[in-house]
């Protein structure tokens, strides 16, 4: 069955530090995509980064990068040089060919302090 | 054009009443999704519309929940005889084409529903 696991309920980091948010996934489909979304306290879901299962390189988008380890079924989000505005809930999500909708993890709350 | 919009932004209702939640997708987006997010939880899929195809209703939690969409425009999610466990944020998302694996979904701000 498809499943996303985020084991860190909360993470705390200081400004300018890097932080890694963990995500593991499970699917039997060799073709799948992994997404990270940010949800600030305002509630909107903001798309951050995408990694396809056949992509040869780890995805990067500005300060966001995805540490994709296929054999371990992990897709950790790395945020470099944290900023106060990065404080939010972060969700890992997956889609494969069996289900069009995204399957979400329970999220990790990131708090960035000055 | 503009992003996904949802209305109302907040809704308080009494147990047993019916509620209607509205979603306006991004213009030209053929795929539309409804999700539910309970407090402190991730998003749960409810229903998916793709163009004029039959919707995927596999995530609807009970027959009190229904949704409609006319063509590629507005969608309405209806909850009949609301229960306190229906209290949640209801999020709508749209994507531009028949969804492939990598198709990004763009979310609206959500409707916060509180059932007293």
């Amino acid at each position: 069955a498809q499943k996303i696991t985020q084991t860190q309920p909360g993470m705390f980091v200081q400004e300018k530090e890097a932080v890694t948010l963990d995500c593991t996934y499970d699917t039997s489909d060799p073709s799948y995509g992994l997404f990270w979304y940010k949800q600030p306290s305002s509630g909107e879901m903001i798309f951050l980064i995408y990694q396809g299962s056949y992509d040869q390189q780890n995805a990067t988008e500005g300060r966001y990068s995805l540490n994709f380890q296929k054999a371990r079924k992990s897709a950790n989000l790395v945020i470099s040089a944290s900023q106060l505005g990065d404080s939010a809930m972060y969700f890992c999500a997956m889609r494969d060919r069996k289900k069009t909708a995204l399957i979400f993890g329970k999220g990790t709350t990131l708090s960035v302090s000055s | 054009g503009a992003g996904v919009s949802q209305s109302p932004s907040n809704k308080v209702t009494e147990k047993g009443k019916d509620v209607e939640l509205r979603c306006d997708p991004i213009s030209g987006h053929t795929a539309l999704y409804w999700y539910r997010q309970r407090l402190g939880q991730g998003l749960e899929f409810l229903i998916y519309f793709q163009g004029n195809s039959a919707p995927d209703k596999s995530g609807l939690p009970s027959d009190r929940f229904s949704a409609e969409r006319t063509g590629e425009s507005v969608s309405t999610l209806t909850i009949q005889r609301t229960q306190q466990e229906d209290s949640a944020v209801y999020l709508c998302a749209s994507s531009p084409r028949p969804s492939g694996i990598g198709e990004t979904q763009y979310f609206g701000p959500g409707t916060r529903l509180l059932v007293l």
Side-chain angles (χ1 to χ4, degrees):
Chain A
Q2 304 141 312
K3 189 176 180 182
I4 292 283
T5 303
Q6 294 179 257
T7 57
Q8 307 155 312
M11 289 287 284
F12 297 87
V13 68
Q14 289 204 309
E15 265 187 304
K16 301 180 186 177
E17 290 183 350
V19 62
T20 298
L21 306 183
D22 294 343
C23 172
T24 58
Y25 60 90
D26 192 21
T27 176
S28 57
D29 190 344
S31 181
Y32 54 87
L34 297 154
F35 302 76
W36 278 91
Y37 282 84
K38 172 184 178 181
Q39 188 178 43
S41 56
S42 55
E44 68 210 275
M45 294 286 284
I46 302 167
F47 166 72
L48 296 178
I49 196 167
Y50 167 77
Q51 179 86 42
S53 60
Y54 293 118
D55 292 345
Q56 294 297 310
Q57 294 189 322
N58 287 347
T60 59
E61 288 286 349
R63 295 186 298 111
Y64 303 109
S65 60
L66 204 151
N67 183 2
F68 181 45
Q69 297 188 43
K70 199 168 181 177
R72 301 175 73 174
K73 292 194 172 179
S74 75
N76 299 339
L77 178 70
V78 180
I79 306 174
S80 63
S82 297
Q83 301 172 354
L84 294 177
D86 293 335
S87 294
M89 191 92 158
Y90 288 80
F91 290 97
C92 180
M94 177 182 72
R95 177 199 279 136
D96 62 22
R97 289 176 296 184
K98 294 176 189 170
K99 194 68 182 177
T100 303
L102 292 168
I103 307 296
F104 284 84
K106 293 188 174 181
T108 295
T109 302
L110 176 65
S111 299
V112 182
S113 59
S114 56
Chain B
V4 177
S5 61
Q6 292 185 246
S7 61
S9 52
N10 292 283
K11 176 72 177 178
V12 181
T13 190
E14 292 180 349
K15 178 180 171 181
K17 302 273 190 180
D18 297 353
V19 295
E20 264 191 11
L21 312 180
R22 177 186 167 109
C23 171
D24 276 277
I26 294 171
S27 177
H29 280 198
T30 61
L32 187 148
Y33 304 79
W34 283 98
Y35 293 88
R36 176 173 71 179
Q37 184 179 24
R38 291 193 162 122
L39 188 64
Q41 300 296 312
L43 279 67
E44 306 168 79
F45 165 70
L46 295 176
I47 189 167
Y48 159 63
F49 295 92
Q50 173 56 59
N52 293 317
S53 302
D56 175 357
K57 304 180 182 180
S58 60
L60 294 177
S62 78
D63 58 8
R64 295 186 297 104
F65 287 73
S66 63
E68 293 183 347
R69 186 185 188 197
T70 305
E72 297 179 0
S73 62
V74 170
S75 175
T76 303
L77 176 70
T78 301
I79 309 173
Q80 295 178 308
R81 305 180 303 281
T82 51
Q83 303 293 313
Q84 288 179 332
E85 66 258 27
D86 299 334
S87 296
V89 177
Y90 290 82
L91 288 149
C92 175
S94 69
S95 63
R97 322 175 252 289
S99 288
I101 293 285
E103 200 64 63
T104 300
Q105 294 179 20
Y106 297 90
F107 283 81
T111 294
R112 284 155 187 79
L113 174 65
L114 178 62
V115 182
L116 300 177

